[in-house]
Coordinates of all heavy atoms in Angstrom, one line a residue:
L8 N -48.4 -45.8 47.3 CA -49.6 -45.8 46.6 C -50.8 -46.2 47.2 O -51.9 -45.7 47.1 CB -49.4 -46.6 45.3 CG -48.2 -46.4 44.4 CD1 -48.2 -47.1 43.2 CD2 -48.1 -44.8 44.1
L9 N -50.7 -47.2 48.1 CA -51.9 -47.7 48.9 C -52.3 -46.6 49.8 O -53.5 -46.3 50.1 CB -51.6 -48.9 49.6 CG -52.7 -49.5 50.4 CD1 -54.0 -49.7 49.7 CD2 -52.2 -50.8 51.0
R10 N -51.3 -45.8 50.5 CA -51.7 -44.8 51.4 C -52.3 -43.6 50.7 O -53.1 -42.9 51.2 CB -50.3 -44.3 52.2 CG -49.8 -45.4 53.1 CD -48.7 -44.7 54.1 NE -47.9 -45.7 54.8 CZ -46.8 -46.2 54.5 NH1 -46.2 -45.7 53.2 NH2 -46.2 -47.0 55.1
S11 N -51.9 -43.5 49.4 CA -52.3 -42.3 48.7 C -53.8 -42.4 48.0 O -54.4 -41.5 47.5 CB -51.4 -41.9 47.5 OG -50.2 -41.6 48.0
Y12 N -54.3 -43.7 48.2 CA -55.7 -43.9 47.6 C -56.7 -43.0 48.3 O -56.7 -42.9 49.5 CB -56.1 -45.4 47.7 CG -57.6 -45.5 47.5 CD1 -57.9 -45.6 46.0 CD2 -58.5 -45.7 48.4 CE1 -59.3 -45.8 45.7 CE2 -59.9 -45.8 48.2 CZ -60.2 -45.9 46.8 OH -61.5 -46.0 46.5
E13 N -57.5 -42.4 47.4 CA -58.6 -41.6 48.0 C -60.0 -41.9 47.1 O -60.0 -41.8 46.0 CB -58.4 -40.0 47.6 CG -57.2 -39.5 48.5 CD -57.5 -39.3 50.0 OE1 -58.8 -39.5 50.3 OE2 -56.6 -39.1 50.8
A14 N -60.9 -42.4 47.9 CA -62.2 -42.8 47.3 C -62.8 -41.5 46.7 O -62.8 -40.4 47.2 CB -63.2 -43.3 48.3
G15 N -63.3 -41.7 45.4 CA -63.9 -40.6 44.7 C -63.0 -40.1 43.7 O -63.4 -39.2 42.8
S16 N -61.6 -40.2 43.8 CA -60.7 -39.6 42.8 C -59.6 -40.5 42.4 O -58.6 -40.1 41.6 CB -60.1 -38.4 43.5 OG -59.3 -38.6 44.6
S17 N -59.6 -41.8 42.7 CA -58.5 -42.8 42.4 C -59.0 -44.1 41.8 O -60.2 -44.5 42.1 CB -57.7 -43.0 43.7 OG -57.3 -42.0 44.3
F18 N -58.1 -44.7 41.1 CA -58.3 -46.0 40.6 C -57.1 -46.8 41.3 O -56.0 -46.4 41.0 CB -58.3 -46.2 39.2 CG -58.1 -47.6 38.6 CD1 -59.2 -48.4 38.5 CD2 -56.8 -48.0 38.3 CE1 -59.1 -49.6 37.9 CE2 -56.6 -49.3 37.8 CZ -57.8 -50.1 37.6
F19 N -57.3 -47.8 42.0 CA -56.3 -48.7 42.5 C -56.3 -50.1 42.0 O -57.3 -50.6 42.1 CB -56.3 -48.7 44.1 CG -55.2 -49.4 44.8 CD1 -54.1 -48.7 45.1 CD2 -55.3 -50.6 45.0 CE1 -52.9 -49.4 45.7 CE2 -54.3 -51.4 45.8 CZ -53.0 -50.7 46.1
F20 N -55.2 -50.7 41.8 CA -55.2 -52.1 41.2 C -53.8 -52.6 41.5 O -52.8 -52.2 41.1 CB -55.4 -52.1 39.7 CG -55.5 -53.4 39.1 CD1 -56.8 -54.0 39.0 CD2 -54.5 -54.2 38.5 CE1 -56.9 -55.2 38.6 CE2 -54.7 -55.4 38.0 CZ -55.9 -55.9 38.0
A21 N -53.9 -53.7 42.5 CA -52.7 -54.4 42.8 C -52.9 -55.8 42.5 O -53.8 -56.6 42.8 CB -52.5 -54.3 44.3
S22 N -51.8 -56.3 41.8 CA -51.7 -57.8 41.4 C -50.5 -58.3 42.1 O -49.7 -57.6 42.8 CB -51.6 -57.9 39.9 OG -50.2 -57.6 39.5
P23 N -50.2 -59.7 42.0 CA -49.1 -60.2 42.6 C -47.6 -59.6 42.1 O -46.6 -59.8 42.8 CB -49.1 -61.7 42.3 CG -50.6 -61.9 42.2 CD -51.2 -60.6 41.4
R24 N -47.8 -58.8 40.9 CA -46.6 -58.4 40.3 C -46.3 -57.0 40.4 O -45.4 -56.4 40.2 CB -46.3 -59.0 38.9 CG -46.2 -60.5 38.9 CD -45.8 -60.9 37.5 NE -44.7 -60.2 37.0 CZ -44.2 -60.3 35.6 NH1 -44.9 -60.9 34.9 NH2 -43.1 -59.6 35.4
R25 N -47.5 -56.1 40.4 CA -47.4 -54.7 40.3 C -48.5 -54.1 41.1 O -49.5 -54.7 41.3 CB -47.4 -54.3 38.9 CG -48.6 -54.5 38.1 CD -48.5 -54.0 36.6 NE -47.6 -55.1 35.9 CZ -47.2 -54.9 34.7 NH1 -47.3 -53.6 34.1 NH2 -46.5 -55.8 34.1
T26 N -48.3 -52.8 41.3 CA -49.4 -51.9 41.9 C -49.4 -50.7 41.1 O -48.4 -50.1 40.7 CB -49.0 -51.6 43.4 OG1 -48.5 -52.7 44.1 CG2 -49.9 -50.8 44.1
L27 N -50.7 -50.4 40.8 CA -51.1 -49.1 40.1 C -52.0 -48.2 40.8 O -52.9 -48.7 41.5 CB -51.8 -49.5 38.7 CG -51.0 -49.8 37.5 CD1 -50.2 -51.1 37.7 CD2 -51.9 -49.9 36.4
L28 N -51.8 -46.9 40.8 CA -52.7 -45.9 41.3 C -52.8 -44.8 40.3 O -51.8 -44.2 39.9 CB -52.0 -45.2 42.6 CG -53.0 -44.2 43.2 CD1 -54.2 -44.8 43.8 CD2 -52.1 -43.4 44.3
A29 N -54.1 -44.6 39.7 CA -54.4 -43.6 38.8 C -55.2 -42.6 39.5 O -56.1 -42.9 40.3 CB -54.9 -44.3 37.6
Q30 N -54.9 -41.3 39.1 CA -55.8 -40.3 39.8 C -56.3 -39.3 38.7 O -55.5 -38.9 37.8 CB -54.9 -39.7 40.8 CG -54.7 -40.6 42.1 CD -53.8 -39.9 43.0 OE1 -52.6 -39.4 42.7 NE2 -54.2 -40.0 44.4
G31 N -57.5 -38.7 39.0 CA -58.0 -37.7 38.1 C -58.5 -38.3 36.8 O -58.4 -39.5 36.5
T32 N -59.1 -37.4 35.9 CA -59.6 -37.9 34.6 C -59.2 -37.0 33.6 O -59.6 -35.8 33.6 CB -61.2 -38.0 34.7 OG1 -61.6 -39.0 35.7 CG2 -61.7 -38.4 33.3
F33 N -58.3 -37.4 32.6 CA -58.0 -36.7 31.5 C -59.0 -36.8 30.4 O -59.4 -35.8 29.7 CB -56.6 -37.2 31.0 CG -56.2 -36.5 29.7 CD1 -55.6 -35.2 29.8 CD2 -56.4 -36.9 28.4 CE1 -55.2 -34.5 28.6 CE2 -56.1 -36.3 27.4 CZ -55.4 -35.1 27.4
A34 N -59.6 -38.0 30.2 CA -60.7 -38.3 29.3 C -61.5 -39.5 29.7 O -60.8 -40.4 30.2 CB -60.1 -38.5 27.9
A35 N -62.7 -39.5 29.5 CA -63.6 -40.6 29.7 C -63.9 -41.3 28.4 O -64.3 -40.6 27.5 CB -64.9 -40.2 30.5
V36 N -64.0 -42.6 28.5 CA -64.4 -43.3 27.3 C -66.1 -43.3 27.3 O -66.6 -43.6 28.2 CB -64.0 -44.9 27.5 CG1 -64.6 -45.7 26.3 CG2 -62.6 -45.0 27.7
P37 N -66.5 -42.8 26.2 CA -68.0 -42.6 26.0 C -68.7 -43.9 26.1 O -68.3 -44.9 25.6 CB -68.2 -41.7 24.9 CG -67.0 -42.2 23.9 CD -65.9 -42.4 25.0
H38 N -69.9 -43.9 26.6 CA -70.8 -45.0 26.6 C -71.7 -45.1 25.3 O -72.2 -44.0 25.0 CB -71.7 -45.1 27.8 CG -72.7 -46.2 27.8 ND1 -72.2 -47.6 27.8 CD2 -74.0 -46.2 27.8 CE1 -73.3 -48.3 27.7 NE2 -74.4 -47.5 27.8
V39 N -71.8 -46.1 24.6 CA -72.7 -46.4 23.6 C -73.6 -47.6 23.9 O -73.0 -48.6 24.1 CB -71.9 -46.7 22.3 CG1 -73.0 -46.9 21.1 CG2 -71.1 -45.5 21.9
G40 N -74.9 -47.3 24.0 CA -75.8 -48.4 24.5 C -76.1 -49.4 23.4 O -75.5 -49.3 22.3
G41 N -76.9 -50.3 23.8 CA -77.3 -51.3 22.8 C -76.9 -52.7 23.1 O -75.9 -52.9 23.9
P42 N -77.3 -53.7 22.4 CA -76.8 -55.2 22.7 C -75.4 -55.4 22.5 O -74.8 -56.3 23.0 CB -77.8 -56.0 21.8 CG -78.2 -55.1 20.6 CD -78.3 -53.6 21.4
N43 N -74.7 -54.6 21.5 CA -73.5 -54.9 21.2 C -72.4 -53.8 21.8 O -71.3 -53.7 21.3 CB -73.1 -54.9 19.6 CG -73.9 -55.9 19.0 OD1 -74.1 -57.1 19.5 ND2 -74.5 -55.6 17.8
A44 N -72.8 -53.3 22.9 CA -72.1 -52.3 23.5 C -70.8 -52.7 23.9 O -69.7 -52.1 23.7 CB -72.9 -51.6 24.7
L45 N -70.7 -53.8 24.6 CA -69.4 -54.3 25.0 C -68.4 -54.8 23.9 O -67.2 -54.6 23.9 CB -69.5 -55.5 26.0 CG -70.3 -55.2 27.2 CD1 -70.3 -56.4 28.3 CD2 -69.7 -54.0 28.1
E46 N -69.0 -55.3 22.8 CA -68.1 -55.7 21.7 C -67.5 -54.5 21.1 O -66.3 -54.6 20.5 CB -69.1 -56.4 20.6 CG -69.6 -57.7 21.0 CD -70.5 -58.3 20.0 OE1 -70.4 -58.0 18.8 OE2 -71.3 -59.2 20.4
K47 N -68.2 -53.4 21.1 CA -67.5 -52.1 20.5 C -66.6 -51.4 21.4 O -66.0 -50.3 21.0 CB -68.7 -51.1 20.0 CG -69.6 -51.8 19.0 CD -70.8 -50.9 18.6 CE -71.7 -51.6 17.7 NZ -72.9 -50.7 17.5
L48 N -66.5 -51.8 22.7 CA -65.7 -51.2 23.7 C -64.2 -51.0 23.3 O -63.7 -49.9 23.5 CB -65.9 -51.9 25.1 CG -65.4 -51.1 26.3 CD1 -65.9 -49.7 26.5 CD2 -65.6 -51.9 27.6
P49 N -63.5 -52.1 23.0 CA -62.1 -51.9 22.6 C -61.8 -50.8 21.5 O -60.9 -50.1 21.6 CB -61.7 -53.2 22.0 CG -62.7 -54.2 22.8 CD -63.9 -53.4 22.8
E50 N -62.8 -50.6 20.6 CA -62.6 -49.7 19.5 C -62.8 -48.3 20.1 O -61.9 -47.4 19.8 CB -63.6 -49.9 18.4 CG -63.7 -48.9 17.2 CD -64.8 -49.2 16.4 OE1 -65.2 -50.4 16.1 OE2 -65.4 -48.2 15.8
R51 N -63.7 -48.1 21.0 CA -63.9 -46.8 21.7 C -62.7 -46.4 22.5 O -62.2 -45.2 22.5 CB -65.2 -46.8 22.4 CG -66.4 -47.1 21.6 CD -67.7 -46.5 22.3 NE -67.8 -46.9 23.6 CZ -68.4 -48.1 23.9 NH1 -68.9 -48.9 23.0 NH2 -68.7 -48.4 25.3
V52 N -62.2 -47.4 23.3 CA -60.9 -47.1 24.1 C -59.8 -46.8 23.3 O -59.0 -45.9 23.5 CB -60.7 -48.4 24.9 CG1 -59.4 -48.2 25.6 CG2 -61.8 -48.6 26.0
A53 N -59.6 -47.5 22.1 CA -58.5 -47.3 21.2 C -58.6 -45.7 20.7 O -57.5 -45.1 20.6 CB -58.4 -48.2 20.1
K54 N -59.7 -45.3 20.3 CA -59.8 -43.9 19.8 C -59.5 -42.9 20.9 O -58.9 -42.0 20.7 CB -61.3 -43.7 19.4 CG -61.4 -42.4 18.6 CD -62.8 -42.1 18.1 CE -62.9 -40.7 17.5 NZ -62.4 -39.6 18.2

């Protein structure tokens, strides 16, 4: 997974217990601006 990482098309995340490599985009979480943008983020991700 580490060897397969490509900047511009990958998400890489390694912790002491696991390694993740995600590639491509099926869907993007839309951005909603404003002072409460981060508070509303879990709701947008769930949708």
Side-chain angles (χ1 to χ4, degrees):
L8 300 189
L9 181 55
R10 291 192 191 99
S11 299
Y12 168 77
E13 292 287 346
S16 62
S17 303
F18 167 88
F19 182 87
F20 188 84
S22 74
R24 294 188 59 189
R25 72 182 71 194
T26 305
L27 273 66
L28 178 69
Q30 294 175 309
T32 300
F33 178 82
V36 176
H38 174 61
V39 177
N43 298 320
L45 295 186
E46 293 178 19
K47 299 174 183 176
L48 188 58
E50 178 183 327
R51 298 203 306 275
V52 168
K54 183 180 186 308

